[in-house]
Amino acid sequence: MIKFYNTLTKRKEEFSPIEEKIVKLYTCGPTVYDLAHIGNFRAYVFEDLLYRYLEFRGYKVIRVMNITDVDDKTINGAKSKGISLREYTDRYIKIFIEDMERLRLKKPDYMPRATEHINEMVEIIKKLLKKGYAYYKDGSIYFSISKFPSYGKLSGIDLSSIKVGARVDKDEYEKEDVKDFVLWKKVKEEEGVWWDTEIGRGRPGWHIECSAMSMKYLGESFDIHTGGVDNIFPHHENEIAQSEAATGKKFVNYWLHCAHLLVNGEKMSKSKGNFYTLRDLLNKGYNPIAIRYLLLSTHYRDPLNFTENSLKQAENTVKNYNEFYRGLNICGYEKYNPEIKKEIEKAKEGFIEYLDDDLNISPALSSIFSLIKKVNIFFSKGEFGRDNVKEVREFIEDIDKVLCIIEKKEESLSEDILNLIKEREKARKEKDYKKADEIRNVLKEKGIMLEDTPYGTRWKKN
Ligand code: AMP
Ligand code: ZN
């Protein structure tokens, strides 16, 4: 039974999707005005774990991640470069997708762009106007939070001091600024970006796009909505208000939010300037899989302080893990060791039991590392059977559907090389150590390292 901590109810709840075995999942995606930083990627890595784990547990997951390609920041960016909004945002979308691939983030089923869903947004705003939840002021349209009695239910904000009719035009604002928020912004000629629609010439505010795109692809009510904790207010609070006011139905059943990636105890963010992009770290020579592992291996609701030292540790862990995996290419002892099967079962149970518990990744990983330790002991005692090699390998590959940290290097060797390894083993048996060493050196030059074990020689590629 899977449990998630639901921000809406403020407790851990048993997960039960609307349709059996199908999960509809929405993620607030990037605003494509610049490179994403690894703080943003903490959120996307957490969502990737969620996505992959639900699939691992047998659910069919339909996932949407929107792309915010129209807002103050993208418009300003395009203007400052003197290019069209489309050309500007295309550039950053391309980079974002490359970064996702480097971090092995599974591509969502849909990645809709805000600018391609203006009609859907207009339709919701029309409904809100008709039902009296929205009103015009100076050509822009606002959502009246006093008309929606449960406003604040997600974030728990205090509404007592709110002045009815006070408005905020900015997309991002703080809790002290809780006011009627903008759904549609009247055209500003100097921005050069607008749409002519039934509700006027202008462009959408930020929040409405996520209601429009989530409901278009997932329906008026769906299972899980995710983001970083900074999205809870105002963005997700506003999404709930405008969606539920428009449809009269519950918008989302489970709201999951990840804690921030910090630098010296402060949120990593563009505005503070304390950020690393993925490229910054790759240029310094770090392995993207180690970055994935670092972001993945702390529970998503615990803040994570980023340091290069912790990244180096993650690199070591990933390296050792992969060495263990690649070492599973020996032929193994004839006899089958049933203890190893039992250890695999135990590790699998641990992995599932902990991840079922609100994606409790650290003990889930510990159960895998403890299996590796035990296998290494069996191995050094010469109690590692031929079929055990296969079953351990299969298990590691199975959980990699979730973790995605195995580095797929070319794993097979050519006939010629295998023959050289055999020839060397023969030489060793015949105590012709000179020849054995020569062959070892030839292989070393080809990047193939040999290790002699009680079961014969195992190889790994450098
Ligand atoms: P943005 O492009 O600013 O809308 O952010 C995209 C995603 O990254 C959102 O889900 C944010 O909540 C998340 N995010 C931004 N900064 C951080 C951070 N330092 N740690 C974790 N998540 C973050
Ligand atoms: Zn959103």
Side-chain angles (χ1 to χ4, degrees):
M1 187 212 344
I2 300 184
K3 285 186 184 163
F4 291 128
Y5 180 86
N6 189 349
T7 312
L8 188 63
T9 55
K10 288 153 197 68
R11 56 188 174 82
K12 246 187 234 176
E13 291 176 346
E14 189 180 323
F15 175 64
S16 161
I18 297 168
E19 281 172 70
E20 211 186 329
K21 288 286 157 201
I22 297 182
V23 180
K24 297 191 174 169
L25 170 60
Y26 186 86
T27 298
C28 289
T31 305
V32 282
Y33 73 105
D34 202 347
L35 302 184
H37 56 68
I38 56 161
N40 301 126
F41 280 113
R42 179 179 193 197
Y44 303 129
V45 167
F46 140 63
E47 287 145 356
D48 189 64
L49 173 66
L50 173 65
Y51 189 7
R52 288 176 183 276
Y53 188 62
L54 287 165
E55 288 193 331
F56 183 78
R57 295 292 273 129
Y59 291 100
K60 174 177 166 47
V61 183
I62 304 173
R63 182 177 179 210
V64 180
M65 178 198 271
N66 72 301
I67 293 192
T68 301
D69 61 350
V70 55
D71 79 324
D72 297 342
K73 290 184 275 197
T74 43
I75 291 174
N76 287 338
K79 268 193 94 168
S80 70
K81 287 266 179 325
I83 54 178
S84 72
L85 184 63
R86 185 81 187 189
E87 197 183 335
Y88 183 76
T89 54
D90 273 353
R91 205 177 272 179
Y92 287 109
I93 291 173
K94 186 166 167 280
I95 296 174
F96 180 72
I97 289 173
E98 282 167 14
D99 285 357
M100 278 182 86
E101 282 165 3
R102 288 207 172 96
L103 289 174
R104 299 184 167 184
L105 303 178
K106 194 166 147 60
K107 209 168 171 206
D109 303 278
Y110 301 95
M111 289 186 81
R113 298 171 71 137
T115 51
E116 291 172 1
H117 294 79
I118 302 295
N119 284 343
E120 287 81 351
M121 297 185 222
V122 168
E123 284 310 310
I124 298 175
I125 298 171
K126 271 166 55 191
K127 267 193 204 156
L128 294 173
L129 285 166
K130 198 162 154 212
K131 290 185 166 189
Y133 288 104
Y135 62 90
Y136 275 96
K137 175 75 187 164
D138 302 330
S140 291
I141 304 174
Y142 297 85
F143 185 92
S144 174
I145 58 172
S146 61
K147 295 265 166 60
F148 189 73
S150 59
Y151 190 82
K153 66 182 168 187
L154 182 73
S155 58
I157 39 148
D158 175 17
L159 295 168
S160 57
S161 59
I162 304 226
K163 276 198 274 160
V164 174
R167 279 173 292 279
V168 53
D169 282 286
K170 283 184 296 185
D171 287 329
E172 289 171 63
Y173 51 92
E174 302 298 321
K175 284 189 179 177
E176 301 74 61
D177 244 352
V178 44
K179 289 176 184 151
D180 290 354
F181 60 91
V182 70
L183 294 164
W184 184 257
K185 299 188 188 197
K186 187 189 167 195
V187 61
K188 284 188 195 142
E189 297 285 341
E190 67 278 13
E191 284 185 348
V193 176
W194 68 77
W195 284 264
D196 278 314
T197 72
E198 282 176 64
I199 53 174
R201 172 176 285 193
R203 67 170 173 97
W206 171 39
H207 315 292
I208 192 69
E209 69 175 75
C210 285
S211 292
M213 291 186 267
S214 60
M215 292 200 281
K216 168 160 181 181
Y217 296 96
L218 302 176
E220 290 179 342
S221 298
F222 59 93
D223 302 299
I224 308 180
H225 195 313
T226 60
V229 284
D230 55 326
N231 283 157
I232 297 174
F233 186 86
H235 187 49
H236 291 166
E237 194 70 67
N238 293 350
E239 275 189 48
I240 293 177
Q242 66 209 0
S243 307
E244 297 191 353
T247 65
K249 293 180 191 156
K250 186 172 183 190
F251 178 45
V252 172
N253 286 334
Y254 302 88
W255 288 86
L256 271 58
H257 294 98
C258 75
H260 283 144
L261 185 68
L262 310 174
V263 183
N264 297 324
E266 274 199 286
K267 178 189 172 192
M268 180 179 285
S269 72
K270 285 268 160 57
S271 55
K272 293 202 181 80
N274 60 352
F275 63 91
Y276 289 93
T277 64
L278 182 61
R279 271 138 219 255
D280 291 336
L281 295 175
L282 298 185
N283 288 339
K284 284 184 161 201
Y286 289 109
N287 176 358
I289 297 172
I291 301 170
R292 172 182 174 86
Y293 180 78
L294 177 67
L295 298 176
L296 186 84
S297 54
T298 293
H299 188 263
Y300 75 95
R301 285 192 293 115
D302 289 336
L304 168 61
N305 201 50
F306 176 79
T307 61
E308 285 196 52
N309 248 343
S310 55
L311 182 51
K312 283 179 191 143
Q313 277 171 23
E315 273 196 335
N316 263 334
T317 309
V318 167
K319 185 166 157 265
N320 293 338
Y321 189 85
N322 275 283
E323 272 178 11
F324 171 79
Y325 170 72
R326 280 201 294 278
L328 296 168
N329 62 13
I330 46 163
C331 51
Y333 188 56
E334 284 291 343
K335 244 166 73 184
Y336 179 71
N337 180 352
E339 287 308 307
I340 291 180
K341 175 125 186 135
K342 283 190 207 150
E343 293 298 341
I344 294 175
E345 288 304 323
K346 240 195 320 202
K348 186 164 186 173
E349 270 168 34
F351 187 74
I352 290 176
E353 182 187 329
Y354 290 115
L355 286 178
D356 270 3
D357 181 17
D358 195 30
L359 300 178
N360 198 359
I361 186 78
S362 310
L365 288 170
S366 297
S367 44
I368 305 304
F369 291 128
S370 121
L371 170 72
I372 292 178
K373 220 180 201 170
K374 284 176 190 146
V375 166
N376 280 334
I377 294 172
F378 282 123
F379 178 78
S380 61
K381 289 201 292 195
E383 294 167 5
F384 196 41
R386 191 166 287 174
D387 289 333
N388 295 130
V389 178
K390 190 165 164 270
E391 66 192 6
V392 173
R393 195 183 169 92
E394 280 170 4
F395 174 66
I396 297 288
E397 285 170 358
D398 192 33
I399 57 166
D400 204 56
K401 291 178 197 140
V402 179
L403 303 176
C404 232
I405 53 172
I406 293 181
E407 300 186 281
K408 291 272 189 304
K409 295 196 179 167
E410 220 236 292
E411 274 151 29
S412 56
L413 294 181
S414 71
E415 227 14 56
D416 288 356
I417 303 261
L418 287 171
N419 284 338
L420 269 180
I421 296 177
K422 277 188 202 146
E423 206 179 307
R424 179 177 167 278
E425 281 197 83
K426 188 163 164 273
R428 268 174 34 112
K429 270 192 199 130
E430 290 163 1
K431 302 208 168 9
D432 185 352
Y433 296 116
K434 187 165 165 280
K435 184 170 179 194
D437 283 348
E438 272 168 19
I439 298 179
R440 177 196 283 278
N441 287 338
V442 168
L443 291 171
K444 195 173 166 188
E445 271 173 32
K446 293 182 191 292
I448 295 156
M449 312 303 283
L450 300 182
E451 183 194 348
D452 298 315
T453 80
Y455 318 109
T457 302
R458 72 172 164 186
W459 54 267
K460 70 180 180 204
K461 284 192 174 177
N462 252 355

